[in-house]
Amino acid sequence: MGPLTGRIRVPGDKSISHRSIMFGALAVGETRVTGLLEGEDVMATAAAMRAMGASIERSGDEWRICGVGVGGLLQPQAALDMGNSGTSTRLLMGLVATHAITATFTGDASLSKRPMGRVIDPLSLMGASFEASPGGTLPLMVRGATTAVPIEYRLPVASAQVKSAVLLAGLNTPGITRVIEPIATRDHSERMLRGFGAELEIEEVDGERIIFIRGEADLQPQVIEVPGDPSSAAFFIVAALVTEGSDLVIENVGLNPTRAGLVEVLRQMGGRIEEFDRREIGGEPVADLRVTYSRLTGIDVDPAIAPSMIDEFPVLFVAAALADGTTTTSGLEELRVKESDRLDVMASALRAAGADLDEEEDGLVIRGTGGVPLRGTANARVKTHLDHRIAMSMAIAGLASRDGVLIDDTAPIRTSFPNFEALLAEATS
């Protein structure tokens, strides 16, 4: 394939797509959404909200959601199949926890290994009860509280999903629920809840964020335009930076500061990434990005930036493998409990493609090729462990390799980026 050129537009932001469906389903009236990501994860959220009483239909380029109101969720008649979506599972557990209904959550083999105890703990304090599989995993059953209790909860790990689960449980809880964030994580829930009319306040005290939400909320329907997903754009940003001759414009990319860490790190490495037409859509900052081929230099990545790019580290590792010098990452224990153990899986995959690296307990140390293409994998297939981001990251590594990279299974890519392969072919044609 040749360099990446022209203009492309990546699918809608996954985090915002999930929340637009959930919050629309909790508003009274019709919420209309354009740019919704139609991947399997978001469709799992839509199916679950339909099962609990909301009407969700596609009409042309628009999705229309007729909600049931906070407190109005209905008892689902069958188990809620979350597929591969950790976001759907943890946020919906929060919603169910303070409604007087019972729901069973199931998922695929990958999701069924992921820990849910970090959500079960605070939601139990609010009055919900749980029956989980060994290790606090799926399948699990949630019995929502008949009368929920507001709590003050300090997040033990930096997790937007845990924070959001508690805030969503707080929507149908009398009084004020407080979440204390020692380390800021992506704030789409806070922005969108305010947009839907929830009473939500944020204070900064001694470097910590304290989020207050008043329960028994009355959410108002909205018209939402979903910006392009920065986590999806990340693959094309790195591909253009490492493929000689590339000059690519990626339109309509969400640049929420709690999500834009990868762009900052790649610029520190010498990547040329320019922003044009910066604007705000639905409370979210958006811009078009022009990315041109650059000689990257290895750096020590500040662990404090990890929460703002936690999903982008697999593709950053690819960029590091092609940079001049050594890139060191640390503070990434969270990557071991994603769709796969992303530190271990990426270390194995990149080694198979010819990269030189060491795997540490909390990160990777990668010695780059100085711009020389990776060897590739010839006839061996890289194991992706049902992880969409591993599959896409190694596809980008294949672009920058001599023999290409064979991937064992591209099907998981559909969970977040259904047209990834078609868009990559378009950009390199």
Side-chain angles (χ1 to χ4, degrees):
M1 287 184 175
L4 286 80
T5 57
R7 303 177 73 89
I8 63 167
R9 184 172 285 230
V10 297
D13 185 280
K14 186 152 72 95
S15 297
I16 295 173
S17 294
H18 279 301
R19 288 160 175 79
S20 64
I21 287 177
M22 290 183 200
F23 301 167
L26 292 171
V28 176
E30 184 180 78
T31 290
R32 304 200 311 276
V33 185
T34 54
L36 188 85
L37 171 64
E38 296 179 13
E40 292 172 353
D41 283 10
V42 175
M43 293 300 101
T45 291
M49 297 314 297
R50 282 193 195 101
M52 292 187 282
S55 168
I56 303 170
E57 302 296 337
R58 192 176 196 269
S59 177
D61 293 335
E62 189 174 68
W63 285 80
R64 297 183 178 179
I65 305 156
C66 290
V68 296
V70 172
L73 294 181
L74 303 179
Q75 172 75 43
Q77 298 305 303
L80 304 176
D81 183 358
M82 300 288 95
N84 188 241
S85 181
T87 301
S88 303
T89 308
R90 291 181 176 130
L91 270 60
L92 290 172
M93 284 169 64
L95 282 185
V96 169
T98 54
H99 284 74
I101 61 176
T102 299
T104 298
F105 291 84
T106 62
D108 69 9
S110 170
L111 181 62
S112 297
K113 295 175 184 173
R114 298 182 68 181
M116 297 298 155
R118 55 179 58 181
V119 180
I120 290 171
D121 291 346
L123 297 179
S124 297
L125 296 174
M126 300 180 80
S129 62
F130 297 84
E131 292 178 23
S133 298
T137 57
L138 302 188
L140 65 76
M141 184 170 68
V142 184
R143 285 194 181 86
T146 305
T147 306
V149 179
I151 61 171
E152 178 176 287
Y153 189 69
R154 178 184 295 273
L155 292 179
V157 294
S159 170
Q161 292 178 359
V162 177
K163 169 179 66 176
S164 297
V166 177
L167 292 176
L168 297 193
L171 280 175
N172 197 41
T173 301
I176 295 175
T177 296
R178 295 172 177 82
V179 179
I180 302 170
E181 251 193 333
I183 300 171
T185 64
R186 56 183 65 178
D187 64 354
H188 300 302
S189 291
E190 296 95 301
R191 288 174 184 250
M192 290 191 72
L193 283 168
R194 278 177 166 164
F196 273 86
E199 290 185 49
L200 185 144
E201 301 294 334
I202 301 171
E203 290 182 3
E204 297 257 353
V205 180
D206 297 330
E208 297 183 329
R209 292 174 86 237
I210 306 174
I211 306 150
F212 306 80
I213 190 164
R214 182 177 294 279
E216 299 176 308
D218 181 17
L219 301 189
Q220 306 300 315
Q222 301 296 309
V223 176
I224 298 169
E225 182 182 347
V226 180
D229 194 317
S231 296
S232 296
F235 301 102
F236 286 87
I237 293 171
V238 169
L241 289 176
V242 302
T243 307
E244 196 162 353
S246 293
D247 187 346
L248 181 69
V249 174
I250 309 171
E251 300 175 342
N252 195 48
V253 179
L255 291 178
N256 182 306
T258 64
R259 296 281 302 282
L262 178 71
V263 170
E264 182 180 335
V265 168
L266 289 171
R267 284 175 173 154
Q268 290 171 11
M269 296 174 73
R272 293 198 296 275
I273 306 169
E274 302 172 77
E275 297 174 22
F276 296 97
D277 190 18
R278 195 170 176 102
R279 54 210 185 268
E280 194 166 285
I281 298 175
E284 295 279 348
V286 173
D288 299 340
L289 301 180
R290 182 185 179 192
V291 188
T292 49
Y293 169 72
S294 307
R295 286 293 296 268
L296 301 179
T297 303
I299 63 169
D300 291 341
V301 180
D302 182 354
I305 206 167
S308 69
M309 57 176 291
I310 198 68
D311 287 331
E312 287 74 70
F313 274 99
V315 78
L316 175 70
F317 297 151
V318 175
L322 293 150
D324 283 313
T326 300
T327 297
T328 303
T329 61
S330 58
L332 304 182
E333 299 92 343
E334 181 72 8
L335 289 185
R336 295 202 181 276
V337 292
K338 288 288 189 176
E339 282 85 336
S340 66
D341 178 341
R342 286 180 173 164
L343 290 179
D344 182 62
V345 174
M346 278 303 295
S348 298
L350 283 170
R351 278 198 196 101
D356 180 15
L357 58 88
D358 296 321
E359 180 183 347
E360 308 289 348
E361 189 58 38
D362 65 342
L364 301 185
V365 178
I366 302 174
R367 291 169 287 277
T369 65
V372 177
L374 294 169
R375 182 189 67 241
T377 60
N379 296 318
R381 291 187 181 273
V382 166
K383 293 182 179 179
T384 58
H385 294 262
L386 300 175
D387 190 325
H388 56 130
R389 298 202 195 281
I390 303 294
M392 288 185 280
S393 296
M394 292 312 297
I396 301 309
L399 284 182
S401 70
R402 191 181 66 235
D403 298 333
V405 171
L406 287 171
I407 295 165
D408 65 349
D409 189 359
T410 59
I413 292 172
R414 293 196 297 269
T415 65
S416 67
F417 201 156
N419 66 331
F420 171 76
E421 292 167 84
L423 205 55
L424 192 59
E426 176 189 327
T428 55
S429 61

